[in-house]
Amino acid sequence: MRGPFRIEGFAIACLDGAIADATGLMPHALKLEADQRFFEKALDGAAVVVHGRMSHEGQPNSPKRRRLLLTRAIKALARHSNDANTRLWNPGGASLEEACAAVGCRAGRVAVLGGPEAYGHFLEIGYDSFYLSRAEKVRLPGGLPIFPRGRRAGWRHEKVLAGAGLKAGEPRRLGKDVSLVEWRREG
């Protein structure tokens, strides 16, 4: 745990490691039913959900979730214009603890949903677990990698996760065309 928070990342990547197309949008080909069920169940147990402006989730319980939307457009923290459960958060101006407190959360699971900058920010804080699903029949040439470091040639997400002190568990099958590996902090 990081302070009073357990930090968990959630991503689904295609065969070539991308989580979104070149425009930053997640294509429907990555929205696999078995992964979506796993994802929704995990988010239902989260104290707060964190993501960037291009990432989102659209399950039935989504509007009820406390949410932090990462942005550099503000100095520290601000109310979202049309969602009482969401705060805009610039990590350069407010700590994770301050941001979570702004949505009424003082402890619990923080679910990080992406994109690359959000995943990269929490890589520096330290993940307790990172759930990496793999869409086994999808390719997105030129797509966005999970982590900003992945933009450099040779930086695969597995190398980034291992370099952050996480160890891969055994792969498990979620559905016909999707598998899942939980990367956990050792110790």
Side-chain angles (χ1 to χ4, degrees), residues 75-97:
K75 189 172 180 175
L77 290 163
R79 289 190 177 274
H80 191 278
S81 61
N82 57 5
D83 185 349
N85 289 333
T86 300
R87 296 295 179 274
L88 303 177
W89 173 39
N90 181 341
S95 68
L96 174 63
E97 291 79 7

Side-chain angles (χ1 to χ4, degrees), residues 63-132:
K64 299 175 191 172
R65 294 190 180 113
R66 292 182 282 200
R67 181 176 315 278
L68 297 172
L69 180 61
L70 274 75
T71 180
R72 291 186 194 102
I74 59 166
K75 189 172 180 175
L77 290 163
R79 289 190 177 274
H80 191 278
S81 61
N82 57 5
D83 185 349
N85 289 333
T86 300
R87 296 295 179 274
L88 303 177
W89 173 39
N90 181 341
S95 68
L96 174 63
E97 291 79 7
E98 291 168 324
C100 287
V103 291
C105 176
R106 303 245 180 244
R109 289 179 46 231
V110 174
V112 182
L113 312 185
E117 298 301 323
Y119 288 135
H121 175 72
F122 280 91
L123 193 66
E124 293 174 21
I125 293 173
Y127 287 101
D128 293 287
S129 289
F130 196 98
Y131 297 91
L132 180 56

Side-chain angles (χ1 to χ4, degrees), residues 154-178:
W155 278 92
R156 301 272 311 159
H157 46 265
E158 292 91 347
K159 184 177 179 181
V160 173
L161 289 165
L166 300 171
K167 184 176 179 183
E170 290 297 317
R172 67 178 171 146
R173 183 128 314 278
L174 292 179
K176 180 182 170 198
D177 298 329
V178 62

